[in-house]
Structure formats: C-alpha cells, structure tokens
Amino acid sequence: MFGEKMRATLLTLLITLSLIGTALADGPEPIRLDLDELVTMGLKRNLDLRAARADLAASTWAKRGSYIAFLPQGAISSSVTRVDDKTLEQSNQAMTGMARLFENMGISGIEMDPFLYRDTYRTSLTVDQEFPLNLHLLGGRRMAVAAEEASRQGLAVDRDQLILNLRSAAFRLLAARELVQVAEEGAISAENRLLLARDRTELGQINRAESLQWDVALADARSRLIAARNGALLAEMALNRLLGQDLRTPLEIVVGDDHTGRGRVLYELGAEALAARVIGNSPGARALRAGKEISAAGKSMAFSGLIPSLHFQFKYGWRENDTLALDDYESWSATALVRIPLFDLGSGLAKYRQRAAEKRRSDLTTDSALEDLRLGVFSAWHEVQLCEESLRHHQYAEEQAQESFDLMSDRRELGHITEFDLVDVQTALTAARARTVSSRYNYYIALASLECLLGDDKPNLDRRGVER
C-alpha cells in the first residue's frame, strides 16, 4: 500500500511538471538579462529619467538665454498708411491757399511739400544695449548657471536612484523565486510526510491525531507557496515597470559573481572615510550646494532693484512716400539712459530683504540636509554590517536546522519521537531556509544602496543628461 501511494504521488508530480513545461513552452520566451544589461535598458526606457533629462535640457537653454541677454537686442518695424480722399483734400487745402497767396504777392517758384500724403511708408531699426555690468544681468547669469548645475546633479541623483531601484527589484525578484523554490520543497516534503503518516496510521504504528498534524502542516506549506508565487509575480511586474515595458513580460535575471565588488570596496573604506567622500563628491551633495548658489543669485538679482542701471538705445529710420521728394528721407537718434529706482525703492527693498531671508533659510536647510546625508551614509554602512552578520547567522541556523531535521527523522524512524516533534522540525527548517534567502538578498540590496549614496565620482553626462 505504501509503495502504491508513493508511485501515485510520483506520477502526479511528473504530470504536473509536464503540464508546467508545456505551458512554459507555449508562452513567450523570457528575456534574459544580466545586471548591466538590466541597468542599461532601464536608463534608456524609464519615463521618469527621460523627464529629468528634458528638465536638464530646459535648464541648459535657460543658461544660454542668460548669456544672450548681454547681447544687443533690436527689431525692425515697417508700416504703410493710406488716407481717404476727403481727409487728404482737407489736410492739403492750407497748402493750396498759401500757394495762391504767394502768387497774388507776385512770388513764384516756391515749392511746398504736401501736409499729408495718400500713402506713407515708414521703416525703422531700433537697437537696445544694456551695460554689461548691470547687476541684474550678472545675477541672472549666475542663477541660470546654478540652476543648470542643480538640474544636472539632480539628474545624476535620479539616475543613481534608478540604478538602485533596478538592482533592488532584480534582487527582490530573484529572492522571491528562490522563496518559491523553498516553499515548493517544503510543500513536497510535507506531502510526503503526510503520506508516510497515513500509512503508519493504517498500520497502527501511530494514532490519527499524530497523522492529522501533517494535514495542518501541508495546508500551511501550500498557503506559504501561494503567497510566495504571488510575491514572485508582483516582483516581476515591479521590475518590468521600472524597465518601461509590459508588466507581464517574462524575465530571466542572471547575476554574476562580481555584482557586489564596488559595494564591498566602499564598505571596506569605513563609515568615516565613505561619509567624507559622499559629502564631497556625490551628486546629491553637489545638488544641495547648487541650491545654495541659486539662493545667493536670487539675492543678487533682488539687490539690482536698489541700484541704478545703464541702458543705451540707437534708432535709425527711413521712409518713402508717393512722391519722389521724400523717398530718401532718413533719421537717427542715440540715447543713453540711466535708470535710478525712486518710487519703487520701497518694494525693491522689501524684495531684497525677502531674498536675503530666503538665502539664510537655504543655507541652513542645505547644511541640515548635508548632515542628514552624512547620517544616511553611516546608516547605510551599518546596514551592510547588520545584513552581513545576519546572513552569517541565518546560514548557520539553516545548517543546524537541516542537521536537526535529519537527526529527528532518524529518531522518528526508530520510534523515539512522535510526529508532533517532526512537524515542528520540518516547519523550522523551511523557515530557516526562507530567512537565509531573504538575508542574502537583503545584503546585496544594502551594498547596492551604499553605491547609490556615492553615485559616480566623475559623472560624464552630455547636455541632454546622457552618458558619453
């Protein structure tokens, strides 16, 4: 009877595996990616990173516009005016009367231009030039440069964060799939133990209460298996979301032996040395300092509203009419203008004090953020240390749980312990394996987080935020 049940169980398992293989064969081929390929695809497709690149492009053009403000600005205007016959006749009646008056006085040969022409063409060129040392020009350029730097470093931060998210999502997917394997092994073991317990119950070796313990254990194992499969499915969807592709795309992630290399090197530096490097060179720290520079530039621009500014204007015009007499009529003018704030001095002073207060606030918040960043480095470093020690302890616990299960199984075969004891040992072994898997990938994620804090010491991005 025992052999028949075992054969039936093996046959059921083979049929299940065959059906799974057939389903996989009919489905789409999984995309095979290693971590580098995964990151490359994510950096290219991720929508949030593409939006950050567009923001950097906007900041770059704003900076260029701040330089263009130093150049002359001008425009050409041209117009044509036609009057109706009645207006033309009334406007020129005085000219006709004066001509007759001169004729009556015996004065002839005098030519007079009409007071109004039927068609009048006017064209003019106007050029405005600000004095290059006007403070609002200098402040605007300073703010635009700082804004572009902040945008560039912000893009680098987003890029590093995306890399961390991609690698973390890949590790979570691998962990979830290993947890599925652990849960499957636990369910198969519990099912086999249940069959053995039922055989012993029929043979009168154990009572029914002991056999029912394996029914409960199998139900729990199957519940954990369903939860593990659901977790693996959601982990794969989360990774596909970061890659910017269909959530149901099957993925096969390959992890090499060197994926923790840089993280280990950074960890070996020690918390103090690593914090100094992050504060000095990381994109996050540079972005914070660029924010301080933006506030300082805003204060300079506000101060420009309290001091005089110098402007120059040149205007050159020419016009043509429906008579040849004024076809070549030209005029020009040059103006130097000093603008001194007077009635708006109060509002300018209030704005300056506002910008000064904002600068103080920015300086304080930036210093606070840098301290938070330093604390984050220490926290990440100690997290690696914690995960490393936890992994070592959980691996040892798994070894002990496996050895304990083997020993207890032998003792159960000899009749020294009951099924109650063996159920507890089986559950402990499955839990120990699951904790080891989770600890190992938590350790990998902690090392990746350490790399994210420092980012790229020398980011090499073009004006669009793309790696050269």
Side-chain angles (χ1 to χ4, degrees):
M1 180 181 301
F2 170 73
E4 292 179 357
K5 288 191 175 182
M6 287 298 296
R7 284 194 295 271
T9 302
L10 291 176
L11 180 61
T12 302
L13 181 61
L14 290 175
I15 293 174
T16 303
L17 292 176
S18 176
L19 292 175
I20 293 175
T22 303
L24 291 176
D26 295 338
E29 188 71 19
I31 299 178
R32 193 172 189 273
L33 298 169
D34 61 25
L35 286 181
D36 292 337
E37 293 170 337
L38 188 77
V39 169
T40 300
M41 181 183 293
L43 292 177
K44 182 179 179 181
R45 295 183 179 182
N46 186 263
L47 297 179
D48 295 332
L49 193 65
R50 289 165 63 184
R53 291 189 182 119
D55 182 69
L56 174 58
S59 299
T60 300
W61 283 107
K63 186 187 74 171
R64 293 175 180 175
S66 70
Y67 284 101
I68 294 174
F70 287 89
L71 302 177
Q73 300 182 15
I76 295 178
S77 60
S78 183
S79 65
V80 58
T81 303
R82 165 165 286 199
V83 298
D84 60 274
D85 295 337
K86 184 176 181 180
T87 302
L88 179 64
E89 181 181 356
Q90 290 177 348
S91 299
N92 291 329
Q93 281 180 355
M95 182 189 68
T96 304
M98 292 182 64
R100 290 178 180 175
L101 177 61
F102 286 129
E103 290 177 0
N104 294 334
M105 296 173 59
I107 302 173
S108 60
I110 297 178
E111 296 183 1
M112 289 184 298
D113 294 332
F115 292 165
L116 184 65
Y117 296 95
R118 179 181 298 279
D119 297 318
T120 303
Y121 307 88
R122 290 185 175 88
T123 305
S124 63
L125 170 65
T126 304
V127 178
D128 296 305
Q129 173 65 64
E130 288 199 59
F131 186 55
L133 297 181
N134 282 347
L135 193 57
H136 71 278
L137 293 178
L138 299 175
R141 181 188 63 182
R142 182 183 179 186
M143 175 173 287
V145 171
E148 187 202 30
E149 178 64 15
S151 181
R152 186 181 303 279
Q153 298 306 325
L155 173 60
V157 172
D158 293 341
R159 175 183 174 276
D160 293 334
Q161 185 62 46
L162 175 60
I163 293 175
L164 171 61
N165 293 340
L166 287 167
R167 298 182 68 184
S168 299
F171 290 143
R172 292 191 182 98
L173 176 58
L174 293 173
R177 288 176 175 174
E178 285 197 30
L179 289 174
V180 170
Q181 295 177 0
V182 171
E184 287 176 345
E185 292 173 0
I188 292 174
S189 178
E191 186 173 3
N192 291 334
R193 291 290 175 178
L194 174 61
L195 294 176
L196 292 173
R198 287 177 177 175
D199 287 340
R200 291 193 179 98
T201 301
E202 292 179 0
L203 295 174
Q205 296 177 354
I206 61 175
N207 58 45
R208 181 171 174 77
E210 290 182 283
S211 176
L212 290 177
Q213 287 295 315
W214 285 108
D215 285 281
V216 176
L218 178 59
D220 290 339
R222 287 174 175 173
S223 177
R224 288 191 294 269
L225 177 57
I226 293 174
R229 287 173 176 170
N230 185 67
L233 177 63
L234 294 178
E236 188 175 56
M237 287 185 174
L239 183 54
N240 278 318
R241 169 66 181 86
L242 291 174
L243 292 174
Q245 58 187 8
D246 189 273
L247 298 181
R248 296 165 295 182
T249 304
L251 298 173
E252 181 182 351
I253 308 302
V254 180
V255 177
D257 296 333
D258 59 343
H259 66 277
T260 62
R262 184 167 182 252
R264 285 299 309 177
V265 171
L266 295 177
Y267 176 73
E268 296 298 333
L269 289 176
E272 271 304 336
L274 182 60
R277 288 186 61 178
V278 170
I279 297 300
N281 299 319
S282 69
R286 289 195 291 263
L288 291 172
R289 296 189 184 97
K292 290 181 65 174
E293 182 64 16
I294 291 175
S295 298
K299 180 181 177 181
S300 298
M301 290 187 65
F303 184 69
S304 66
L306 303 177
I307 61 176
S309 58
L310 183 58
H311 306 261
F312 302 96
Q313 184 182 79
F314 174 78
K315 185 174 184 180
Y316 175 77
W318 63 94
R319 65 180 182 179
E320 296 180 354
N321 302 95
D322 54 3
T323 176
L324 296 177
L326 295 179
D327 281 352
D328 297 327
Y329 183 76
E330 300 176 358
S331 63
W332 65 272
S333 64
T335 304
L337 172 65
V338 177
R339 183 183 179 278
I340 302 175
L342 183 59
F343 295 106
D344 56 348
L345 191 61
S347 62
L349 179 60
K351 186 176 182 180
Y352 172 75
R353 297 298 295 272
Q354 174 189 351
R355 297 297 185 190
E358 290 176 353
K359 181 182 180 301
R360 292 195 301 272
R361 180 193 63 187
S362 177
D363 292 343
L364 294 173
T365 54
T366 299
D367 292 340
S368 176
L370 288 173
E371 288 302 314
D372 290 339
L373 184 59
R374 184 187 300 276
L375 176 61
V377 174
F378 279 92
S379 176
W381 190 90
H382 284 285
E383 181 68 19
V384 173
Q385 186 181 54
L386 172 63
C387 290
E388 186 177 27
E389 293 179 359
S390 296
L391 175 59
R392 184 169 61 252
H393 293 315
H394 286 147
Q395 288 175 337
Y396 178 76
E398 181 186 356
E399 295 172 359
Q400 298 302 312
Q402 182 65 55
E403 183 177 356
S404 175
F405 179 77
D406 294 339
L407 292 174
M408 295 294 281
S409 297
D410 294 339
R411 293 185 64 188
R412 176 64 193 86
E413 294 295 331
L414 297 174
H416 295 167
I417 62 173
T418 65
E419 295 293 334
F420 296 98
D421 300 317
L422 196 58
V423 168
D424 293 338
V425 176
Q426 171 70 63
T427 303
L429 175 58
T430 302
R433 288 175 176 172
R435 285 193 294 270
T436 300
V437 171
S438 299
S439 296
R440 182 168 65 254
Y441 285 101
N442 286 339
Y443 173 63
Y444 295 158
I445 293 173
L447 289 175
S449 300
L450 210 60
E451 295 183 34
C452 177
L453 284 173
L454 185 60
D456 190 355
D457 288 327
K458 297 178 180 178
N460 191 17
L461 307 177
D462 62 15
R463 63 179 180 84
R464 297 174 298 170
V466 180
E467 285 187 283
R468 294 189 180 95

